[in-house]
């Protein structure tokens, strides 16, 4: 079998590679996959290709699907939707928003030539179903009557369909043939429950039929302390008793942050893996690859519910290199550019907007490499700003730079670079009483605080530009961001080090954000160029 043998040191870094019939070579990697915020993963394999879907919350385009040929290296495959329902909150109209809501924990399935995506949105309280005969779309939208938290779609061989869902109490409900809602008189039952868990009861359902048995994978917390733990239950039939318990309880030596919730998948060679996730602080929730074996028809994750020191992973696809999930951008687009990797409203697929964008007020000059944001509403702070262009931050460290052209800002306008989350930090250029300033602002406990303001004398016209930089450090949950501006070819820090937090208010990892907004009058604008990701 064409697999790699990997040995891990105490930091869980891959250090050894063995190919069948070949001498050992060395490779460095990690069991954490992508090093980016891709929580609640579900995973499938179609022939030799793996697909993984993840929660995207309030970001749009939404419901991102990744593609891999070896379970370790991943690239963008598709966004399922550009817009969901275009509600005022999804579009950040007035003071409405869907931070921490939007789509959660999608189920990805492939049945008889059709891809299915099923998820709920916690702002609309609806259950959405998308279908396509190609992973790249187009995806056709419908709804399933009812609300099914952390749902898993399941098809029997006879095409009967079921949805498995819930929190604490996990239910199975048979669906109509057209999947539009529960089947009248169909099977509906509770499978298991975790009643009384003081932290997190069973949720995150992933349901499979393997070798004639039915398997239900769930996440919950230990009852004596907060720690994510993976559980599994098995039954001989859909109407039979589901028995089981915890099968993986490990934090990989990282601050008690358990690894759990996700799907399982097999390789063409018959090996099995779980794709779970681990909280890594402010950077978000990062996928983790866990080997799975079967003992007496029951899944065993790792060794004795801990991450093993040696694992096998599939060989990389010869001659194929995945497109990066985050990257620099000169904002230029050549005529022969691969459209697959420009699927975010014509931007590179690594970009998402903080909410549904208003494309009337954002201009992308693909030849000059400029992105202009015009202010169509007044905002109290950064979190109300429309058309914020974001990329995920990378563990353990990352940095970004961007040039801002500020000559068209009006009084009260702000434009710059931010660490986007509920407790954000930002560096910006602003105009007040026709005077110019560079500022570092931070959101602390629901109130924006200006940490430093520096008078700035622009040269005027097109030369009114400033280059900003931000450095983030998530090592060992340090979770900090530091902001800089460029002067005379040197980087000068502005403001204080910003402590970053993962909070339930946004419920996702911190991101780089390019923003521009008004606080006093509309009609102003700013332009961005030369974004660099390190």
């Amino acid at each position: 079998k064409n697999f790699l043998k990997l040995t891990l040191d105490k930091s869980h870094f891959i250090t050894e590679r063995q190919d069948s019939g070949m001498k050992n070579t060395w490779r460095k990697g990690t069991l954490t996959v992508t090093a980016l915020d891709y929580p609640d993963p579900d995973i499938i394999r179609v022939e030799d290709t793996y697909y993984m879907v993840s929660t995207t919350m309030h970001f749009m385009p939404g419901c991102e699907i990744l593609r891999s040929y070896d379970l370790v290296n991943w690239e963008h495959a598709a966004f399922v939707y550009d817009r969901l329902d275009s509600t005022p909150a999804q579009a950040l109209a007035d003071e409405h928003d869907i931070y921490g809501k939007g789509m959660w924990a999608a189920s990805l399935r492939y049945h008889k030539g059709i891809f299915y995506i099923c998820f709920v949105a916690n702002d609309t309280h609806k259950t959405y179903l998308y279908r396509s005969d190609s992973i790249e779309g187009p995806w056709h939208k419908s709804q399933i009557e009812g609300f099914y938290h952390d749902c898993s779609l399941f098809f029997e061989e006879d095409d009967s369909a079921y949805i498995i869902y819930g929190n604490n109490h996990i239910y199975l409900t048979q669906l109509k043939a057209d999947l539009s809602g529960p089947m009248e008189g169909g099977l509906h039952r509770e499978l298991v429950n975790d009643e009384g868990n003081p932290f997190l009861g069973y949720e995150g359902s992933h349901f499979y039929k393997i070798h004639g048995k039915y398997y239900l994978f769930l996440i919950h917390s230990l009852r004596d302390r907060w720690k994510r733990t993976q559980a599994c239950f098995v039954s001989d039939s859909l109407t039979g008793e589901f028995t089981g318990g915890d099968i993986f309880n490990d934090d990989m030596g990282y601050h008690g942050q358990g690894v759990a919730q996700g799907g399982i998948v097999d390789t063409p060679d018959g090996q099995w893996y779980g794709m779970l996730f681990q909280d890594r602080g402010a950077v978000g929730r990062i996928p983790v690859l866990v080997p799975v074996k079967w003992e007496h028809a029951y899944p065993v994750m790792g060794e004795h519910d801990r991450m093993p020191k040696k694992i096998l992973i599939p060989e990389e696809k010869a001659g194929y290199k995945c497109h990066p999930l985050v990257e620099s951008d000169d904002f230029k687009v050549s005529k022969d550019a691969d459209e697959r990797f420009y699927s975010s409203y014509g931007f590179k697929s690594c970009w998402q907007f903080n909410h549904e964008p208003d494309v009337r007020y954002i201009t992308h000059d693909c030849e000059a490499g400029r992105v202009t944001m015009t202010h169509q509403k007044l905002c109290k702070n950064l979190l109300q700003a429309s058309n914020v262009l974001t990329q995920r931050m990378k563990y353990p460290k990352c940095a970004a730079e961007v040039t801002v052209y500020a000559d068209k800002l009006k009084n009260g306008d702000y434009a710059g670079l931010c660490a986007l989350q509920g407790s954000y930090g930002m560096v910006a250029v602003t105009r007040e009483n026709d005077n110019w300033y560079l500022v570092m602002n931070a959101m602390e406990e629901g109130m924006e605080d200006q940490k430093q303001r520096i008078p700035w004398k622009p040269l005027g016209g097109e030369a009114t530009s400033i280059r900003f930089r931000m450095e983030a450090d998530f090592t060992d949950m340090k979770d900090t961001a530091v902001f800089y501006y460029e002067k005379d070819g040197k980087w000068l820090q502005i403001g204080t080090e910003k402590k970053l937090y993962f909070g339930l208010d946004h419920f996702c990892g911190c991101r780089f954000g390019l923003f521009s907004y008004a606080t006093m009058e509309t009609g102003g604008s700013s332009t961005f160029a030369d974004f660099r990701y390190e």
Side-chain angles (χ1 to χ4, degrees), residues 177-229:
D178 63 1
L179 309 182
S180 62
M183 175 184 287
E184 185 175 354
L187 180 62
H188 172 75
R189 59 171 299 216
E190 179 180 297
L191 301 182
V192 296
N193 73 74
D194 199 13
E195 189 66 37
N197 192 313
F199 297 102
L200 176 69
Y202 291 137
E203 64 175 25
S205 298
H206 292 262
F207 196 84
Y208 306 90
K209 186 177 184 180
I210 302 170
H211 305 312
K213 293 183 179 292
Y214 299 87
Y215 295 89
L216 171 62
F217 291 84
L218 300 164
I219 185 179
H220 73 149
S221 173
L222 298 178
R223 289 184 171 234
D224 62 345
R225 66 189 186 281
W226 167 251
K227 186 182 181 184
R228 297 188 190 274
T229 306

Side-chain angles (χ1 to χ4, degrees), residues 14-66:
I14 297 169
T15 56
E16 182 184 353
R17 167 176 171 174
Q18 271 188 336
D19 293 315
S20 300
M22 297 177 62
K23 295 182 179 180
N24 290 351
T25 58
W26 291 87
R27 173 187 174 194
K28 196 173 184 180
T30 176
L31 286 185
T32 54
V33 175
T34 73
L36 301 164
D37 181 47
Y38 283 98
D40 310 324
D42 198 12
I43 187 170
I44 62 172
R45 176 178 60 83
V46 179
E47 298 179 350
D48 69 342
T49 308
Y50 305 94
Y51 299 105
M52 178 168 66
V53 68
S54 172
T55 295
T56 52
M57 295 285 181
H58 43 276
F59 294 103
M60 299 203 192
C63 196
E64 185 175 14
I65 301 173
L66 305 184

Side-chain angles (χ1 to χ4, degrees), residues 341-496:
F341 303 118
Y342 285 85
S343 61
S344 183
Y345 301 93
F347 288 90
K348 284 185 175 181
S349 303
C350 54
W351 295 106
Q352 287 175 286
F353 289 92
N354 60 330
H355 278 62
E356 179 183 317
D358 191 332
V359 296
R360 296 173 300 173
Y361 297 98
I362 187 163
T363 303
H364 184 188
D365 188 331
C366 299
E367 292 186 5
R370 303 289 179 89
V371 176
T372 300
M373 300 178 186
T374 302
H375 311 145
Q376 82 279 22
K377 70 170 187 175
L378 300 183
C379 304
K380 292 182 178 179
N381 56 50
L382 169 66
L383 297 182
Q384 293 181 5
S386 301
N387 296 339
V388 178
L389 201 54
T390 77
Q391 283 200 50
R392 292 171 177 84
M393 291 185 176
K394 196 161 190 174
Y395 181 89
K397 295 181 179 181
C398 56
E401 301 174 11
V402 71
T403 297
V404 181
Y405 293 86
D407 53 298
K408 291 184 173 58
L409 289 182
K410 294 187 175 184
N411 287 321
D413 290 356
Y414 290 81
L417 175 65
C418 71
L420 181 62
Q421 56 173 193
S423 177
Y424 62 79
M426 71 184 215
V427 57
V429 54
T430 185
R431 192 173 183 178
E432 299 177 14
N433 298 320
D434 293 324
N435 295 313
W436 300 84
Y437 300 90
L438 305 180
V439 299
M440 184 264 169
N441 291 359
M443 179 66 77
E444 307 285 1
E445 298 181 353
M447 297 292 292
E448 187 176 278
D449 181 26
Q450 191 165 96
K451 301 297 184 180
Q452 189 172 6
R453 184 171 73 163
I454 301 171
W456 181 55
K457 294 182 179 181
L459 296 178
E462 184 71 9
T464 303
S465 65
I466 185 73
R467 190 157 180 84
F468 292 127
R469 178 178 174 86
M470 178 173 60
E471 297 175 354
D473 188 351
F474 304 104
T475 307
D476 204 30
M477 285 197 172
K478 183 178 180 182
D479 293 349
T480 58
V482 181
F483 299 88
Y484 303 87
Y485 66 97
E486 188 178 42
K487 183 178 181 181
D488 299 328
K490 297 181 180 179
W491 289 111
L492 302 180
Q493 183 177 337
I494 182 170
T496 59

